[in-house]
Amino acid sequence: FALHLSLETPGDGQNSAGRHSGYTPRQYDALALVLDDWLERFQFPAFAITTHRHVDLGGERGDPRSFSWEELQVRLAALGRLCDA
């Protein structure tokens, strides 16, 4: 099974450009807290957290534009959780 989280795209990302202004610190904070809760609640290992690129076998979805895996990792590390993307 898979659990899925989506972040709201900034207004300047409502087009087909390769990048946008990026996600906010509050979005990364909230994402890390939700993931931390899921790791505890569903008892799966942090290394199971991944991005679209690693699970979309059809190649239709890449990682979210302008997503910073590093920003998420900093927050997960502060919660004592790290993943391996």
Side-chain angles (χ1 to χ4, degrees), residues 2 4 48-59 61 63:
H4 174 83
I49 296 172
T50 189
T51 59
H52 285 114
R53 180 170 298 157
H54 294 96
V55 296
D56 179 18
L57 302 177
R61 292 285 311 237
D63 291 335

Side-chain angles (χ1 to χ4, degrees), residues 19-84:
R19 296 194 60 74
H20 54 66
S21 59
Y23 300 101
T24 67
R26 289 180 64 184
Q27 285 177 293
Y28 285 108
D29 292 346
L31 177 59
L33 289 173
V34 169
L35 290 173
D36 183 55
D37 176 63
W38 285 1
L39 288 164
E40 184 68 30
R41 185 183 313 185
F42 300 116
Q43 296 295 302
F44 61 86
F47 67 79
I49 296 172
T50 189
T51 59
H52 285 114
R53 180 170 298 157
H54 294 96
V55 296
D56 179 18
L57 302 177
E60 294 180 22
R61 292 285 311 237
D63 291 335
R65 292 178 295 154
S66 303
F67 181 78
S68 172
W69 186 256
E70 293 77 25
E71 288 290 334
L72 176 58
Q73 287 286 51
V74 166
R75 287 154 175 86
L76 289 173
L79 295 169
R81 313 260 192 190
L82 284 175
C83 359
D84 184 22

